[in-house]
């Protein structure tokens, strides 16, 4: 697994509540892709029940960091600014149900090499800088529904193409007893950094 524990604090401690941020790197859709992914969530809900993810929160996690010392956010931004990776097209053509947590999610039937490489580049940079992250084998998934009752029947949900032109650092916050995701910063892909 090779999991690093540096700067991971137990979120139950008062110090963690004051000084840490729950963070992840993600692909964060532009407006057109967001609308298309929300359309997938809505048509999945007709078939599967459950609660659709808020359109504004739809994303694809690249690397989940968990609780990080807030003072290290600038270091994370510098690290992300140094990532060199190409733009690519992501075919979201698979919708699947996880019975253990009742999530219906969408993803690529085949993970493109560019996506796998982007995750690897981020993980290598994070590891070199001593950040902890979830190092389970990468399975790209976009949560569409929570508390769903079943998988959608085949062909119930049309796939989409998502042009990936950037990636983001995102913070997960608790507000009014619900999770809220806020983009900290975005970085373009396909840029030559000299
Ligand atoms: P989920 O939608 O399946 O819950 C913010 O919580 C994002 O990080 C979500 O995409 C969430 O996936 C993902 N996430 C939460 N905990 C995680 C973990 N331990 N490892 C990987 N991803 C995680």
């Amino acid at each position: 697994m090779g999991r690093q524990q540096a700067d991971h604090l137990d979120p139950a401690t008062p110090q963690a509540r004051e000084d840490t941020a729950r963070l992840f790197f993600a692909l964060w859709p532009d407006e057109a892709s967001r609308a298309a992914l929300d359309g997938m969530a809505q048509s999945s809900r007709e078939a599967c029940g459950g609660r659709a993810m808020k359109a504004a929160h739809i994303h694809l996690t690249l690397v989940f960091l968990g609780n990080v010392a807030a003072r290290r956010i600038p270091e994370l931004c510098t690290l992300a600014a140094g990532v060199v990776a190409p733009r690519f097209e992501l075919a979201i053509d698979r919708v699947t149900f996880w019975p253990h947590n009742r999530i219906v999610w969408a993803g690529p039937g085949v993970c493109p090499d560019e996506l796998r490489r982007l995750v690897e580049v981020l993980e290598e940079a994070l590891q070199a800088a001593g950040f902890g992250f979830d190092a389970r084998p990468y399975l790209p998934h976009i949560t569409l529904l929570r508390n769903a009752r079943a998988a959608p029947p085949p062909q119930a949900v049309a796939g989409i193409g998502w042009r990936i032109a950037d990636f983001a650092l995102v913070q997960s916050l608790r507000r009014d007893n619900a999770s809220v995701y806020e983009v900290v910063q975005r970085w373009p892909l396909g840029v030559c950094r000299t």
Side-chain angles (χ1 to χ4, degrees):
M1 287 261 194
R3 201 172 293 219
Q4 301 270 315
Q5 290 300 330
D7 275 324
H8 270 230
L9 296 174
D10 178 349
T13 66
Q15 188 196 358
R17 279 199 297 273
E18 281 168 22
D19 298 332
T20 69
R22 188 173 167 84
L23 297 169
F24 55 101
F25 283 106
L27 299 179
W28 200 254
D30 56 63
E31 287 313 309
S33 307
R34 179 172 304 287
L37 290 164
D38 183 46
M40 284 184 98
Q42 299 305 332
S43 41
S44 301
R45 199 169 65 84
E46 283 168 26
C48 315
R51 179 165 45 88
M53 190 83 168
K54 265 190 182 173
H57 286 177
I58 293 175
H59 66 276
L60 173 60
T61 294
L62 296 168
V63 183
F64 182 78
L65 292 118
N67 287 302
V68 175
R71 68 181 157 76
R72 295 197 76 190
I73 291 177
E75 207 183 322
L76 277 176
C77 292
T78 303
L79 174 158
V83 166
V84 177
R87 296 178 174 204
F88 57 97
E89 182 85 21
L90 188 59
I92 306 294
D93 51 10
R94 170 188 186 202
V95 181
T96 304
F97 175 61
W98 276 334
H100 70 280
N101 56 10
R102 300 178 60 203
I103 279 178
V104 166
W105 57 273
V110 176
C111 181
D113 289 344
E114 295 94 333
L115 175 55
R116 198 170 294 286
R117 186 67 196 134
L118 175 58
V119 170
E120 280 171 6
V121 168
L122 274 168
E123 288 187 347
E124 283 163 15
L126 289 165
Q127 191 143 16
F131 285 98
F133 55 88
D134 188 302
R136 279 178 291 187
Y138 186 58
L139 176 63
H141 78 278
I142 301 166
T143 297
L144 297 178
L145 306 176
R146 296 197 189 273
N147 299 320
R149 57 171 180 264
Q155 311 307 326
V157 183
I160 64 155
W162 178 7
R163 279 180 50 76
I164 309 298
D166 64 8
F167 70 100
L169 179 65
V170 184
Q171 182 169 3
S172 172
L173 299 154
R174 292 296 291 175
R175 280 206 195 120
D176 300 329
N177 237 6
S179 290
V180 176
Y181 300 145
E182 284 186 358
V183 171
V184 176
Q185 199 169 329
R186 301 172 81 128
W187 295 270
L189 294 170
V191 177
C192 179
R193 304 182 210 281
T194 50

